[in-house]
Amino acid sequence: MTTISLRRFALGLVVGAFAAAALAAANAYARPAPSDGGQPVIDWNRVLLGLVSTPGVQPASVQPTRNFAIVQTAIYDAVNSIDRTHEPYLIEVHPRRGASETAAADAAAYRALLGLYPSQQQTLDATYAAELAEVPAGPARDEGVRIGAEVAHDLLAVRADDGSQTAPPPFNAGTDPGAYRPTPPNLAAPVFTGWGQVKPFALDAANQFRPAPPYALTTDAYARALQEVQSLGAANSTTRTPEQTQIATFWNPPIQNAWNQIAETVAAAHHSDLPTTARLFAALDVSFADGAIAFYDAKYTFQLWRPVTAINLADTDGNPNTTADAAWLPLTGTTPADPSYPGAHSTISAAGADVLARFYGDAQRFTVTSPALPGVTRSFRSFSAAAEEAGLSRIYAGVHTRLDHVAGLKIGYDVATFVLGHALLPNRGATLTAARIPARQSANTGTVVDVARSRFGRVLVDEHGRTLYDFPPDKGTMSVCYGACAALWPPLTTKAKPHAGPGVRHSLLGTTRRSDGTLEVTYGGHPLYYYVADRKRGQFSGQGLDQFGAPWWVISPTGTEIHRG
């Protein structure tokens, strides 16, 4: 018997004979060391990476993140129907005793992939036979196969009318300054004009985390962002360093593929069991799928022109601080065929880092490879560092501004936080939540400012231990951080008079009224902020970062900025 979770419904390597082209594409992603029980999830994820990397296999009008999410939620729901420690994503099949979780994962992946890529049946049949041969024949395997096949069938049926097959609306290029239009030199027509109307997997709506409108072309913020990409992102740039050139090329391939590869590597290194690995990839790829729906919604709401257009036509944008260069082209040569704001790489990378950090902690050492630079590896000490580099790579590549990057990071973190807090939750009353900026006080009490020890000495934190920063350009107690700035550096707000924790000087605490009417906490006259990349206690990712015109600093209990680190 199959049941569908009404709450979720309402919300919305390669083993065997692989086709030569698919095998070559899959080999671009080095197989990690074997894990324990989670290997079937990794195996099938690699099959999918091979398929979407093979020219002509992935339908051009279907965003690949949708298919990743379908395959991984099918595996998760099949395994969870047996494990039963968490809520189903959508489908729950009641198993007979002793069903094999591995067989369920194999059957769910195979049936989902076959439904999505019917032309690849020969490849999938061979892979399925080899994978299933690892499970001893008998009633347990048969029952697992039944469960997996049933889950995949039902999930495919539910997603059949999600809007992904609807013909996208035609795009009418704008002619006003700032309006998106196809970009030189190839002038490719936009493809995903209607992807923001696809039904999300977990979000309530595509526009749930839509960012604030981009800065006007006449603002200094926009001029600085454009000047940065004009300098660093040019095909013939003399200011871009060799490492920045490598970063731009390294991260240029489809970004969801890279983060699925990272997840494979880390899950294998941690020897995650099958239910955990299935839940990890389901959360990861649902976040990617909904992140893509969200950023396409925003892209085609704001329809901001790409850097190449802005630079070619800068003398028409009304900003005297921008300089036109009609011959300018980006490092990548061509530009993705959709509007600029927000950045897709930044959205997907922030979501990926957030999900992985929730499962394993942000501070993880790992190495990444790229099919764009065979033989080159890049190593990281945290998921957030990889996310930041992947997002910035698009500036070095010449296809995005920093404003696109910041808005994308915010969407990615928000989407992943929502997915982790609303889907795949434990059954026994616990709550699976990502680190988020909490509502730190009730309606009638003020937030608490505390002190924590750090490598910088004693610094201010909120009552949950999250690092607080100040922004030197603030005019006295008046905040100048709004829009994209406040999205990346949210203010510490309060409902009432803030309280001083041990070591905090009560006389230095105060508040300032923001333009939206909220009260922001100040200390020694400095408005206080968080940094969205700090996801837990003891993180100082924002220390010294030069963003929005100045570096950000942690604060000592004496109210002075700490300028080191």
Side-chain angles (χ1 to χ4, degrees):
M1 177 182 177
T2 304
T3 59
I4 296 180
S5 168
L6 294 179
R7 182 180 69 83
R8 296 297 318 126
F9 184 80
L11 287 177
L13 126 159
V14 174
V15 182
F18 219 112
L23 182 57
N27 284 340
Y29 299 88
R31 176 175 177 142
S35 71
D36 294 334
Q39 192 62 42
V41 182
I42 295 173
D43 288 350
W44 285 107
N45 197 66
R46 293 182 55 76
V47 171
L48 181 50
L49 283 171
L51 293 175
V52 300
S53 300
T54 303
V57 172
Q58 176 67 32
S61 61
V62 176
Q63 231 288 328
T65 53
R66 170 187 182 267
N67 292 3
F68 276 92
I70 289 173
V71 171
Q72 295 298 350
T73 53
I75 293 174
Y76 167 79
D77 272 353
V79 172
N80 191 64
S81 288
I82 301 168
D83 181 61
R84 305 183 77 78
T85 59
H86 287 68
E87 293 180 2
Y89 162 69
L90 187 62
I91 308 296
E92 184 176 18
V93 177
H94 299 288
R96 302 184 185 94
R97 186 174 180 179
S100 166
E101 292 178 353
T102 299
D106 288 336
Y110 167 68
R111 294 293 178 183
L113 285 166
L114 191 59
L116 295 168
Y117 303 100
S119 67
Q120 302 301 301
Q121 181 165 0
Q122 183 177 0
T123 294
L124 294 171
D125 284 352
T127 305
Y128 182 47
E131 290 286 320
L132 205 57
E134 299 294 317
V135 183
R141 185 174 79 174
D142 294 344
E143 180 64 1
V145 167
R146 180 188 74 85
I147 292 168
E150 195 168 333
V151 166
H153 174 273
D154 291 349
L155 269 175
L156 288 168
V158 168
R159 295 302 305 186
D161 61 350
D162 62 4
S164 61
Q165 305 302 319
T166 303
F171 179 75
N172 297 315
T175 57
D176 293 336
Y180 175 72
R181 64 211 68 182
T183 54
N186 58 333
L187 303 178
V191 176
F192 295 112
T193 56
W195 203 257
Q197 282 71 58
V198 171
K199 180 181 179 181
F201 284 77
L203 296 184
D204 297 323
N207 64 356
Q208 187 171 343
F209 298 111
R210 183 185 291 170
Y215 280 96
L217 306 186
T218 54
T219 61
D220 289 344
Y222 183 79
R224 287 195 300 268
L226 190 61
Q227 290 163 1
E228 179 182 35
V229 70
Q230 185 170 7
S231 175
L232 292 177
N236 58 354
S237 172
T238 59
T239 58
R240 186 178 57 244
T241 67
E243 184 182 24
Q244 288 170 335
T245 299
Q246 182 189 88
I247 289 170
T249 306
F250 185 92
W251 291 102
N252 194 48
I255 191 62
Q256 65 272 1
N257 294 11
W259 281 97
N260 271 275
Q261 176 200 0
I262 292 169
E264 290 175 4
T265 301
V266 175
H270 281 267
H271 303 287
S272 297
D273 61 19
L274 181 53
T276 300
T277 308
R279 193 165 65 253
L280 166 68
F281 278 86
L284 187 77
D285 286 307
V286 165
S287 295
F288 292 167
D290 279 3
I293 292 169
F295 72 64
Y296 277 116
D297 164 78
K299 281 178 180 291
Y300 285 98
T301 295
F302 301 118
Q303 297 190 24
L304 181 67
W305 61 10
R306 283 282 183 164
V308 63
T309 310
I311 294 166
N312 292 167
L313 302 176
D315 56 355
T316 70
D317 65 9
N319 191 324
N321 298 318
T322 58
T323 304
D325 182 351
W328 190 94
L329 286 175
L331 172 63
T332 53
T334 60
T335 297
D338 53 60
S340 195
Y341 180 90
H345 266 54
S346 301
T347 300
I348 297 299
S349 296
D354 206 30
V355 171
L356 286 163
R358 174 60 183 86
F359 278 75
Y360 301 113
D362 185 49
Q364 298 290 319
R365 293 177 180 267
F366 58 94
T367 298
V368 188
T369 61
S370 170
L373 289 175
V376 174
T377 61
R378 294 196 64 80
S379 298
F380 299 93
R381 295 186 177 185
S382 68
F383 299 123
S384 57
E388 181 75 6
E389 180 178 287
L392 292 176
S393 75
R394 307 307 275 167
I395 300 173
Y396 311 146
V399 298
H400 276 296
T401 71
R402 189 172 293 270
L403 301 179
D404 303 334
H405 166 60
V406 169
L409 287 180
K410 181 62 165 55
I411 294 175
Y413 284 127
D414 284 347
V415 169
T417 295
F418 184 87
V419 170
L420 290 165
H422 293 78
L424 322 181
L425 302 178
N427 264 334
R428 298 188 178 95
T431 302
L432 177 67
T433 57
R436 67 174 73 197
I437 302 166
R440 290 170 175 79
Q441 63 282 324
S442 69
N444 298 314
T445 61
T447 190
V448 177
V449 176
D450 285 326
V451 172
R453 296 185 182 277
S454 76
R455 65 180 183 272
F456 309 111
R458 287 155 54 85
V459 299
L460 298 185
V461 297
D462 77 352
E463 61 200 72
H464 301 279
R466 189 162 174 173
T467 307
L468 298 172
Y469 300 83
D470 85 330
F471 187 41
D474 284 341
K475 299 174 181 178
T477 60
M478 183 182 298
S479 172
V480 297
C481 183
Y482 288 90
C485 176
L488 195 60
W489 296 89
L492 173 65
T493 59
T494 185
K495 298 289 186 182
K497 186 176 180 180
H499 300 292
V504 174
R505 298 184 182 181
H506 187 273
S507 62
L508 296 181
L509 276 176
T511 60
T512 186
R513 183 74 63 178
R514 293 179 62 82
S515 62
D516 62 1
T518 59
L519 281 178
E520 182 172 5
V521 180
T522 62
Y523 195 76
H526 301 290
L528 299 178
Y529 305 86
Y530 305 100
Y531 182 49
V532 295
D534 291 341
R535 312 304 290 171
K536 59 182 182 179
R537 294 173 181 267
Q539 288 186 310
F540 303 91
S541 307
Q543 174 67 350
L545 281 184
D546 191 340
Q547 294 183 341
F548 302 99
W552 296 71
W553 304 111
V554 294
I555 308 298
S556 76
T558 64
T560 58
E561 297 169 345
I562 299 176
H563 291 192
R564 62 178 183 272

